[in-house]
Amino acid sequence: MSVVAEAKHVVKRYGTITALDGVTLELKRGKIVGLLGPNGSGKSTLIKVLMGFIPPDSGYVSVLGVDPYEHPDIRAKIGYVPEEVKLYESLTPKELFDLAARIRRTDTDKYYRMLETLSNALDLRSKLHNLIGSLSKGYRQKVAIALALLHDPEILLLDEPIIGLDPIVARVFKEILMELKRRGKAILFSTHILELAEVICDRIAIIHRGKIILEGTRDEIVEQARERGALEEVFLEVTGKRGEVEELVKAIREEII
Amino acid sequence: MIGMRDLLYLVKVLYRETAYLMIKSTRPVMSPKDAISKSKRMWTVNILIATVMAFILSLFLIIVFYIPMPESTNVDIETLLRSTTLSYVGCIFLFSFMFSTTTSWVLQEYDLVEPIKPLPLSEDDMRILILLSALIGSIPILIIPLIYSIGLAIRFNSIAVLIIALLYGILTFLLATGISLILTSHIGAKRFAGSSLRINILRALNTLIYVLSMSLIYIFWNFLSRVNIILKHLTSIGSGLEYLAESLLFIYPLSACEGIVSGATGDKMPLHHFVLSMVYLYLAYRVFKIGSRRYWRVLLRPEYIGVELVKPIKGISRWTLDPKIGLMIKDLKMIYRNPRSGYLFFFPLIYSIYLLISFRELVEDPTFLVIYSVITYLILGFLVSYVPYQLLLAEGDNLWLLFASGIRKRDIAIGKSLPVVLQSSIVLTLYSYILSPMGVPATVSFIFTGTFYCTATAIMVSTIWTRTIGPETRMLKMSVPTFLLTLLMQALMAIPHVIVTLLSRILPLFYLRVLFISMLELLIVVIVCRLVLR
Ligand SMILES: Nc1ncnc2c1ncn2[C@@H]1O[C@H](COP(=O)(O)OP(=O)(O)OP(=O)(O)O)[C@@H](O)[C@H]1O
Ligand SMILES: [Mg+2]
């Protein structure tokens, strides 16, 4: 099984905050890795480091054999959905896709086929020629997802991709991910929806305070989960948040009553 | 209504936010204290530079009244007063107009007002807020009225001229800001979402109206400088027209000239001019009020009109499958839809048409034509080199999108310069009409030389600015050292052209030489761009 992207002992500091504290992670062909962790634990930072958007302070990053920070053009083979989607409001989705296709030099026939398929699958067809500024949040998210998939990338780095999607599209998106996995793509996605991670991930990594505190195949993690109840319980346990949460809940109850 | 102190605080917050966004990509980590002190420093430097420029400008306006005139010149003091006053009002108008256009665009495009929208701000609050945000950057503009009116008051020993000059300065500022806000909201109010024929026509009309209004404003002020000659013609023709010319003088901005002339040279207080300027002040305030109200409404809810349209999906042509071309297509579309974001793109076009009209009468003297052609493309190169800067600024916080698709910085630098090729070749082809007496080869070589030169300066400036951006950039940083560097490099690139122009005597050779120089420069710039940027 071939590793297509990896981070080794990656450290990334923002001033005194250590956002990543020696993270090691591998992405393999045909595998979906779910990245879980509390707010501010470093998920987005890790994804940005893998994208080559920010260089690590120390450690080693390799994507498709090169350092993505030094070789920005490798991103033409990556699909990326950022946590906060910002798009050109005065372009239509179609024009945005065209722009990306030209930058990535996607084969024109392939681009056309993918555009047909994806815009139907994601229910974007009717919005394709309207300005993005006039689209609702969910549609913008769909545009961002389509943008990440149109060039049939080798690797997908998705930062909370299903936020804002309605249940139907979320379901379709799940199916798309499974299909891409079958076609040998390497996928990393961060999410707060534990049930989703439980269902579709091959491997799960839980990150806390910039460190990967638990990593394993889904079965291993689910095994742990079964002992403790649900994945949520594992999550609370390993991040040491159980006590905190119980106290909070108590406080809320007392406040309200 | 909220208190003045709170409003001032909001203005400060808006300004700090802008500064923070600019600094963020290079300094992701910043304590609130750092952010405040950095934005303060940025503000101070910007204001300082603008102040110096405004100061020099005002000195130019006032200096003629302080240097002794040689006896031989038969320019009387009234004519001098009229023409400087016209430039005075024109300067304030154009600067306030440009400044307000940019500020209002930045406020809207970067959604800076978004967080304060839910606050219970009344329309009046908002008006003051807009005025203050515009003021905070254009305070230096207000130095011009101060120096001009005080300068005149001392020279002519008259309080009346002080008051009238000040009033006209302030009302011009309000008027220009108001008109710019009205135009801005006209563009911003309706965004055309669909792409049916009707929507396309509406969109084209919208853009056309904006570009035409902009050009009319510029041409209007240029035209005014000749108005005295026209008026003289009118009076000399017949008795009925005399009356017409007289009444024209009470219309703004000519009324400013008359007011200042009578304030400076009359013995008593020119009461009717004083009243007139108060009336104009009131009208300017009305215009400003309308402008700010419309702008605020647009900020609240820009409307997208257009039907949902299912059109067949078209693929893209293999020929356009290139990052640079993709970028150019996108930028041209965005400028077309939102001309505010790229008015520098239209400006040289507008300006050239004006120059074309005014140069037509000029001599066909070959030496003049040679100098003229070189000056033309040097100036044009200076103007268009700001287009890449503006296009980068117009990216807003969408730069991640380009970088996530795998674009290289060098492609951004060159892609942002490609519209300049189009623009400068159109402008120069128009210009070349004046050169036609020189023969076809010279004219054609002029067009090519100019286009190469403009493209080279654009790529150079673009490279310098592109160096400062990255995937995490939220807003292009307007840093003064970088700006000065672009100026220096432009000066360096102009030098060979100037030298060759001064040295060459034989025309055909001259044109070949500048053509060669511009090609060489373009080549060097492209190589530098590839070396400097990954
Ligand atoms: N640009 C930045 N400047 C300074 N600190 C940052 C920056 N980006 C992230 N951080 C810090 O790095 C840490 C990790 O942030 P990150 O965005 O990676 O978290 P996350 O796991 O994605 O959280 P969330 O679930 O809320 O999206 C946080 O402490 C955050 O405050
Ligand atoms: Mg995140």
Side-chain angles (χ1 to χ4, degrees):
Chain A
M1 245 178 269
S2 55
V3 175
V4 283
E6 61 179 330
K8 268 191 194 152
H9 314 297
V10 167
V11 176
K12 175 70 204 171
R13 287 191 196 88
Y14 289 114
T16 49
I17 301 167
T18 307
L20 295 178
D21 192 2
V23 170
T24 299
L25 191 78
E26 281 182 348
L27 299 185
K28 291 178 184 156
R29 273 187 211 291
K31 295 286 172 203
I32 302 182
V33 178
L35 191 59
L36 311 182
N39 291 138
S41 54
K43 300 183 293 295
S44 303
T45 308
L46 177 59
I47 291 180
K48 281 182 192 166
V49 167
L50 284 171
M51 274 303 280
F53 279 4
I54 42 184
D57 293 329
S58 69
Y60 164 84
V61 182
S62 159
V63 173
L64 295 169
V66 297
D67 177 350
Y69 186 74
E70 296 296 330
H71 298 266
D73 42 334
I74 198 67
R75 298 180 199 136
K77 290 185 182 143
I78 309 178
Y80 170 63
V81 174
E83 59 180 335
E84 199 186 348
V85 169
K86 298 260 181 186
L87 305 165
Y88 297 105
E89 310 229 325
S90 57
L91 293 186
T92 66
K94 170 70 167 59
E95 288 164 346
L96 182 69
F97 298 152
D98 288 354
L99 170 67
R102 289 183 178 120
I103 294 178
R104 295 158 170 163
R105 295 192 167 92
T106 319
D107 175 74
T108 48
D109 296 333
K110 186 158 141 193
Y111 168 65
Y112 180 78
R113 281 198 312 275
M114 289 294 276
L115 185 57
E116 278 264 336
T117 318
L118 277 172
S119 57
N120 286 329
L122 292 170
D123 182 31
L124 264 176
R125 195 64 190 78
S126 64
K127 306 287 183 189
L128 224 42
H129 295 98
N130 283 291
L131 293 197
I132 293 175
S134 70
L135 302 185
S136 69
K137 157 125 178 68
Y139 272 103
R140 287 174 203 220
Q141 190 70 23
K142 292 187 209 175
V143 171
I145 290 173
L147 191 67
L149 300 176
L150 272 169
H151 52 311
D152 192 22
E154 297 295 309
I155 300 173
L156 282 167
L157 302 174
L158 314 170
D159 204 348
E160 301 183 35
I162 67 162
I163 267 189
L165 298 182
D166 66 42
I168 304 161
V169 185
R171 175 66 198 272
V172 173
F173 180 61
K174 223 161 66 185
E175 293 303 324
I176 293 177
L177 283 190
M178 299 304 278
E179 178 58 30
L180 289 173
K181 168 189 146 160
R182 244 169 268 136
R183 294 194 193 170
K185 313 293 178 194
I187 301 171
L188 173 71
F189 79 98
S190 77
T191 184
H192 292 297
I193 304 171
L194 303 180
E195 297 77 23
L196 178 73
E198 221 174 315
V199 176
I200 66 169
C201 293
D202 299 291
R203 295 185 74 83
I204 288 177
I206 299 182
I207 185 169
H208 184 44
R209 297 203 181 114
K211 282 198 174 82
I212 301 226
I213 47 173
L214 184 68
E215 206 228 333
T217 63
R218 185 187 53 182
D219 295 340
E220 285 164 17
I221 305 261
V222 169
E223 191 60 32
Q224 282 207 30
R226 201 162 293 132
E227 276 168 28
R228 295 182 209 191
L231 191 53
E232 188 179 298
E233 299 299 318
V234 180
F235 188 84
L236 289 178
E237 192 68 46
V238 295
T239 54
K241 297 262 174 180
R242 185 197 297 281
E244 226 173 277
V245 170
E246 273 163 9
E247 236 154 67
L248 280 175
V249 172
K250 216 175 104 204
I252 291 169
R253 283 200 184 123
E254 281 166 6
E255 276 299 310
I256 293 172
I257 295 165
Chain B
M1 271 301 261
I2 60 172
M4 197 60 187
R5 265 186 58 191
D6 295 330
L7 274 177
L8 275 174
Y9 180 73
L10 279 182
V11 172
K12 219 171 95 188
V13 169
L14 285 183
Y15 189 81
R16 203 205 294 167
E17 179 73 5
T18 321
Y20 177 71
L21 284 181
M22 286 182 193
I23 309 166
K24 195 171 181 269
S25 71
T26 44
R27 297 246 337 243
V29 197
M30 231 182 295
S31 66
K33 223 174 102 203
D34 262 13
I36 293 171
S37 77
K38 273 221 123 184
S39 64
K40 266 194 194 143
R41 198 176 323 143
M42 230 167 105
W43 188 74
T44 320
V45 171
N46 285 351
I47 292 283
L48 218 66
I49 289 177
T51 308
V52 171
M53 279 162 72
F55 189 73
I56 293 173
L57 206 79
S58 347
L59 283 189
F60 274 134
L61 286 173
I62 200 73
I63 200 96
V64 283
F65 297 106
Y66 281 90
I67 43 173
M69 293 270 188
E71 292 293 319
S72 56
T73 48
N74 50 6
V75 181
D76 61 310
I77 202 81
E78 289 195 6
T79 317
L80 206 58
L81 268 172
R82 284 200 177 90
S83 64
T84 50
T85 301
L86 218 46
S87 328
Y88 160 68
V89 182
C91 263
I92 297 182
F93 190 96
L94 292 180
F95 279 131
S96 320
F97 183 84
M98 270 163 62
F99 195 84
S100 161
T101 304
T102 312
T103 315
S104 56
W105 176 74
V106 167
L107 280 182
Q108 190 176 355
E109 210 61 19
Y110 287 86
D111 282 339
L112 291 177
V113 212
E114 202 65 35
I116 58 171
K117 271 185 196 171
L119 299 181
L121 291 171
S122 71
E123 224 170 65
D124 282 327
D125 292 334
M126 211 40 223
R127 194 155 27 247
I128 300 173
L129 189 63
I130 292 168
L131 182 64
L132 288 178
S133 326
L135 264 178
I136 205 168
S138 42
I139 286 170
I141 297 178
L142 293 177
I143 283 178
I144 305 176
L146 266 184
I147 293 186
Y148 189 69
S149 53
I150 293 175
L152 284 186
I154 294 173
R155 168 69 173 77
F156 294 100
N157 198 10
S158 144
I159 287 290
V161 80
L162 177 94
I163 296 173
I164 293 179
L166 261 184
L167 279 177
Y168 274 102
I170 293 165
L171 78 88
T172 305
F173 174 79
L174 283 177
L175 184 71
T177 312
I179 292 180
S180 119
L181 289 179
I182 291 177
L183 277 179
T184 297
S185 20
H186 176 76
I187 284 291
K190 294 184 216 82
R191 309 206 179 163
F192 301 98
S195 55
S196 65
L197 180 66
R198 195 181 80 92
I199 290 295
N200 277 331
I201 291 175
L202 282 177
R203 188 185 287 145
L205 267 181
N206 213 27
T207 303
L208 196 69
I209 289 173
Y210 186 79
V211 174
L212 274 184
S213 329
M214 293 275 291
S215 17
L216 280 181
I217 286 167
Y218 287 112
I219 291 173
F220 174 73
W221 284 103
N222 280 308
F223 164 78
L224 273 183
S225 54
R226 299 161 167 228
V227 84
N228 286 321
I229 307 164
I230 297 171
L231 285 183
K232 248 181 221 145
H233 270 297
L234 274 183
T235 14
S236 64
I237 291 173
S239 49
L241 289 171
E242 219 167 88
Y243 182 69
L244 179 71
E246 284 281 308
S247 50
L248 271 181
L249 294 180
F250 287 98
I251 293 172
Y252 176 88
L254 297 181
S255 64
C257 305
E258 296 314 308
I260 282 173
V261 165
S262 78
T265 56
D267 320 318
K268 52 184 189 320
M269 184 76 182
L271 205 60
H272 60 293
H273 278 298
F274 182 68
V275 172
L276 195 61
S277 55
M278 289 304 279
V279 170
Y280 280 126
L281 179 64
Y282 174 73
L283 291 178
Y285 177 69
R286 297 291 307 188
V287 171
F288 171 73
K289 205 168 160 181
I290 295 171
S292 54
R293 184 187 303 147
R294 288 199 186 164
Y295 179 65
W296 177 229
R297 295 225 172 111
V298 169
L299 275 184
L300 277 182
R301 41 181 146 74
E303 240 175 79
Y304 287 86
I305 56 174
V307 280
E308 277 184 28
L309 201 72
V310 185
K311 289 204 302 190
I313 301 176
K314 274 187 281 185
I316 50 175
S317 151
R318 262 172 240 283
W319 299 106
T320 60
L321 208 60
D322 180 273
K324 300 180 276 300
I325 295 175
L327 209 54
M328 179 181 74
I329 294 175
K330 183 219 85 182
D331 279 336
L332 290 178
K333 275 190 174 142
M334 283 182 31
I335 293 178
Y336 173 60
R337 281 178 202 164
N338 190 357
R340 253 190 315 158
S341 69
Y343 63 89
L344 283 179
F345 184 80
F346 296 107
F347 185 62
L349 293 174
I350 294 160
Y351 204 65
S352 67
I353 293 169
Y354 169 75
L355 279 189
L356 207 63
I357 300 165
S358 47
F359 267 109
R360 253 194 66 114
E361 316 134 23
L362 286 172
V363 272
E364 293 173 7
D365 173 12
T367 23
F368 168 76
L369 284 179
V370 166
I371 294 172
Y372 165 79
S373 63
V374 175
I375 290 178
T376 305
Y377 70 71
L378 289 184
I379 291 180
L380 188 66
F382 181 73
L383 285 178
V384 298
S385 63
Y386 289 94
V387 170
Y389 172 77
Q390 212 182 33
L391 292 180
L392 277 173
L393 193 65
E395 283 293 328
D397 40 16
N398 293 316
L399 276 168
W400 73 270
L401 221 150
L402 301 179
F403 284 105
S405 305
I407 203 164
R408 290 157 172 252
K409 278 196 181 183
R410 51 171 84 147
D411 287 338
I412 296 184
I414 293 180
K416 291 284 175 190
S417 313
L418 284 185
V420 168
V421 181
L422 201 73
Q423 182 192 25
S424 53
S425 57
I426 293 175
V427 172
L428 290 167
T429 310
L430 283 175
Y431 268 131
S432 68
Y433 163 67
I434 296 174
L435 292 188
S436 45
M438 312 278 317
V440 174
T443 312
V444 171
S445 119
F446 162 74
I447 297 174
F448 276 95
T449 309
T451 308
F452 288 150
Y453 176 76
C454 289
T455 312
T457 51
I459 294 180
M460 205 258 325
V461 171
S462 178
T463 305
I464 294 175
W465 286 112
T466 307
R467 261 175 69 90
T468 67
I469 60 166
E472 297 277 271
T473 300
R474 296 285 306 276
M475 189 192 262
L476 193 61
K477 185 175 164 187
M478 297 175 216
S479 98
V480 178
T482 315
F483 177 69
L484 292 179
L485 180 65
T486 61
L487 284 184
L488 178 75
M489 297 303 286
Q490 275 177 309
L492 281 181
M493 289 177 65
I495 287 173
H497 295 267
V498 176
I499 292 176
V500 169
T501 317
L502 292 179
L503 293 184
S504 299
R505 287 280 172 269
I506 316 152
L507 278 182
L509 260 181
F510 163 75
Y511 277 110
L512 283 181
R513 280 188 191 142
V514 280
L515 183 62
F516 176 72
I517 292 177
S518 62
M519 278 165 70
L520 196 67
E521 278 180 342
L522 184 57
L523 189 72
I524 293 174
V525 167
V526 171
I527 292 173
V528 169
C529 171
R530 296 183 71 92
L531 287 178
V532 173
L533 300 174
R534 247 183 307 158

